[in-house]
Amino acid sequence: MMIDRFQYSPWDFWAKADATAQAQQIATQRALTAERPGVTFGGECFVSDLASVDNDELALGDRSYIAAGAYLTGSLSTGRDCSINAYTVLRGDVRIGDAVRIGAHTSILGFNHTMSDPGIEMFRQPLTTEGIRIGNDVWIGSHVVILDGVTVGDQSVLAAGAVVTKDVPAGAIVGGNPAKLIRWRVPQADHPLAPSDQSLARADQPHAPGDVVVTSNNDLAARVAAFAETARAQAVALLDRSFSEETGLFVDRPGNSPTVRAQCDAIEIADLLLDTAPPQLPADQQLERLRGWQDAATGAVASLGAGSMQLASAGFDDPDAAYHVLCVGYALQLLGTGFAHPITLVTAASATDIAVAMNELPWTTNAWGAGHQVDAYGTALHLSRLRGDEVPTGTTEALFGWLLTHADPTTGMWGSPNREDGLLQLVNGFYRASRGTFAQFGLPVPYPERVIDTVLQHARDERFFSAGRQNACNVLDIAHPLWLTAGSGYRSEEITALASRLLNAALDHWSDGEGFGFRAPAPHLAGLDETTPGLQGTEMWLAIIWYLSDLAGVSDALGYRPRGIHRPEPAPH
């Protein structure tokens, strides 16, 4: 009996197969999704009946296919238009971008066997998993082997037979055993990270393609100093740009409405660059307005609505009100005062209330949101202590006790990765939760080395850290945890290398007279709100640049050190 050719060559199945075959394919996919809750398929996908699909988690993007003889296990996600051709093996934790084509007989192995104890047979020893990340528009030839821990950059080519043991920069063509740079698919000028010795970047030293290479610490310090001088000289102009004479309030960027956060960002920026309050208004006027926005009954600061009028307080369930604990609290400290009223988020919360609330936070689905709330709890405790407000017995211990007893010893964090964005939620949630608690109170985090491992692994995810994809939130959320745990000395060379690369990229984002946008600029992102310079982006990137500079050993050249919401020292108590 002749085997259906689409089993081995499925790329034109949905254009040429008859209705019966297409109906059978739909039934095959439905059976897989019914059998395995972690399996999903996009539109016009194909899965050969002759493939072994044994994944715990599988997400296949639109128009992606699995040909005959393929063997799949573990957790795999692909973007659109990806091919897993005949007899390909994909195992472990593998994340693939859009338009990735994988040749026959290739093995992509996102796990490894340990061999630390020679007294135990190797097959009985535990497995380790760092995961494999493959970017967009990648061509992988036949008989290629990609080992665990490797990141393959966008628009790269892995030649047939290549054994890839180290990261592949974006735009590179590599081949051989072990794989080495052959030439550049994308002109080398567009990827200045190109290694001069024709070897590949080490897998344990994350990179962001497009970053500028600085050859020495002296060069980097000089670049940092030049940036700081420019920023200080232009600080008044960028604050003027976001100040509304009509309302007497700051907006994030021209054309936006005033927000509570914009007032606080302006105060933070002025403190960093001018060592004073924003000169657009007398400091006492800014101070009294922030204090006046606090609700006397709850201690919450509600958002501003139409006409710059404050909305009715929704309490601390409002994410903006939760963040205002931080930004208003620290802005008032920079102006030499504090909140006028107790913050009932903690002064009216018993130890039991805190424990219940911590258990109910969305750690597995939205770890960033959970960390956001913990940050508010921790900061409210700190501000309450400064005010001398009474906090119920055991409330502080309940917060820290929950965090200590629920930290995952394998990641050092709270929550879990997910298929859609990998470690993003986990790492971002850790930053927010640890900033407001362990960092703010000067206490060590439970598993610092595991935190470093998790952050460095996340930093190799090109979806968030390649050129044109970085934003202030994601970069701050790795810079601060690495700074917080750097005292351990663990993987220090890798941390310094990563910080230097990210720092060089960040310095390029400055827009004269306007500051920073929240997201790194790129030609195809021009005009988007998130890349338009504003107060939020400027405040965050100024803090990020300090943390990265300190990790790279050049922070003295900046001439500023955060004293507000992003202060590196524990808050005074």
Side-chain angles (χ1 to χ4, degrees):
M1 178 179 176
M2 182 176 293
I3 295 176
D4 181 354
R5 75 169 181 87
F6 293 118
Q7 301 291 336
Y8 289 87
S9 305
W11 41 85
D12 57 356
F13 174 82
W14 293 103
K16 296 184 177 180
D18 60 34
T20 301
Q22 292 184 1
Q24 179 57 47
Q25 176 59 207
I26 292 172
T28 295
Q29 293 180 30
R30 286 177 176 169
L32 282 169
T33 56
E35 177 186 345
R36 297 176 179 272
V39 174
T40 62
F41 297 101
E44 296 190 358
C45 290
F46 179 90
V47 181
S48 171
D49 295 329
L50 303 178
S52 175
V53 179
D54 195 26
N55 298 87
D56 299 316
E57 295 181 331
L58 172 65
L60 218 59
D62 293 344
R63 298 177 302 282
S64 295
Y65 58 81
I66 301 169
Y71 175 38
L72 282 61
T73 68
S75 179
L76 168 67
S77 68
T78 80
R80 59 166 176 81
D81 299 300
C82 293
S83 68
I84 300 171
N85 276 305
Y87 303 107
T88 295
V89 175
L90 286 93
R91 305 190 65 192
D93 177 17
V94 181
R95 300 287 178 266
I96 297 174
D98 295 332
V100 175
R101 317 300 272 189
I102 304 171
H105 297 278
T106 282
S107 294
I108 300 175
L109 306 173
F111 70 97
N112 209 341
H113 286 273
T114 57
M115 58 182 78
S116 56
D117 187 346
I120 300 175
E121 295 167 321
M122 281 189 57
F123 80 95
R124 299 185 188 278
Q125 296 195 41
L127 300 177
T128 61
T129 299
E130 294 185 44
I132 291 172
R133 302 292 179 263
I134 298 173
N136 300 314
D137 186 23
V138 175
W139 190 272
I140 302 173
S142 297
H143 294 276
V144 169
V145 176
I146 305 175
L147 298 184
D148 188 33
V150 166
T151 293
V152 178
D154 293 347
Q155 296 183 294
S156 55
V157 176
L158 312 185
V163 178
V164 184
T165 62
K166 299 178 181 179
D167 287 359
V168 177
I173 300 175
V174 305
N177 181 5
K180 295 183 182 296
L181 180 67
I182 299 173
R183 58 186 177 87
W184 293 91
R185 175 190 174 200
V186 177
Q188 187 171 355
D190 293 344
H191 292 290
L193 191 62
S196 59
D197 65 353
Q198 303 294 296
S199 64
L200 301 182
R202 286 183 55 191
D204 58 356
Q205 294 184 348
H207 66 271
D211 290 350
V212 175
V213 173
V214 173
T215 57
S216 73
N217 242 34
N218 289 337
D219 291 340
L220 186 55
R223 191 161 188 244
V224 162
F227 158 76
E229 183 178 355
T230 297
R232 280 189 286 269
Q234 298 178 9
V236 174
L238 74 86
L239 289 169
D240 279 339
R241 173 177 176 266
S242 289
F243 183 69
S244 169
E245 295 284 356
E246 180 181 353
T247 63
L249 293 165
F250 288 96
V251 298
D252 182 63
R253 54 186 181 275
N256 282 23
S257 299
T259 62
V260 172
R261 178 169 184 162
Q263 317 317 304
C264 302
D265 287 338
I267 292 167
E268 294 266 3
I269 293 166
D271 184 78
L272 279 174
L273 299 180
L274 303 173
D275 198 26
T276 185
Q280 285 72 18
L281 283 174
D284 59 351
Q285 187 173 336
Q286 299 178 57
L287 181 157
E288 289 306 319
R289 181 160 54 200
L290 288 179
R291 283 171 61 91
W293 281 337
Q294 189 189 24
D295 179 66
T298 66
V301 177
S303 299
L304 303 183
S308 303
M309 298 296 292
Q310 196 174 21
L311 300 173
S313 176
F316 297 99
D317 289 337
D318 176 2
D320 286 343
Y323 188 74
H324 294 161
V325 173
L326 285 61
C327 68
V328 177
Y330 270 100
L332 287 172
Q333 285 188 17
L334 292 174
L335 295 175
T337 187
F339 278 121
H341 308 289
I343 304 168
T344 60
L345 179 66
V346 293
T347 61
S350 68
T352 299
D353 293 334
I354 292 292
V356 170
M358 293 292 285
N359 282 324
E360 291 178 348
L361 290 175
W363 294 105
T364 58
T365 58
N366 182 9
W368 181 90
H372 175 85
Q373 191 67 19
V374 173
D375 204 351
Y377 284 135
T379 304
L381 284 171
H382 152 60
L383 296 174
S384 297
R385 291 172 65 178
L386 285 183
R387 279 181 42 83
D389 294 328
E390 184 176 348
V391 174
T393 301
T395 294
T396 302
E397 292 78 4
L399 178 64
F400 281 90
W402 192 97
L403 292 170
L404 286 168
T405 56
H406 287 77
D408 184 344
T410 62
T411 65
M413 301 184 179
W414 306 279
S416 56
N418 62 58
R419 185 171 61 238
E420 288 73 27
D421 51 26
L423 294 166
L424 180 69
Q425 286 282 336
L426 183 67
V427 173
N428 290 11
F430 175 83
Y431 160 65
R432 290 300 305 274
S434 64
R435 191 220 73 85
T437 55
F438 294 97
Q440 192 162 220
F441 283 75
L443 299 172
V445 296
Y447 304 103
E449 292 187 356
R450 300 293 76 77
V451 169
I452 292 170
D453 288 338
T454 303
V455 171
L456 290 181
Q457 180 180 347
H458 173 52
R460 297 197 341 243
D461 193 329
E462 294 204 348
R463 293 174 297 175
F464 311 113
F465 298 104
S466 63
R469 297 185 183 181
Q470 299 168 17
N471 68 41
C473 183
N474 294 344
V475 178
L476 176 61
D477 293 357
I478 66 171
H480 186 275
L482 289 176
W483 187 91
L484 184 62
T485 55
S488 68
Y490 180 64
R491 301 180 72 172
S492 59
E493 292 184 3
E494 300 164 55
I495 293 171
T496 300
L498 172 61
S500 299
R501 295 181 186 114
L502 291 174
L503 175 59
N504 273 296
L507 295 173
D508 285 337
H509 302 166
W510 179 266
S511 179
D512 281 337
E514 298 180 335
F516 290 104
F518 177 75
R519 182 172 175 178
H524 68 287
L525 301 174
L528 294 181
D529 286 348
E530 60 185 343
T531 60
T532 301
L535 297 183
Q536 179 182 348
T538 301
E539 187 273 330
M540 293 184 73
W541 282 108
L542 287 174
I544 290 165
I545 285 170
W546 185 88
Y547 278 103
L548 295 175
S549 295
D550 207 53
L551 288 169
V554 296
S555 60
D556 288 347
L558 273 177
Y560 71 74
R561 186 182 183 94
R563 298 194 313 127
I565 195 169
H566 297 303
R567 61 181 299 146
E569 291 83 16
H573 296 298

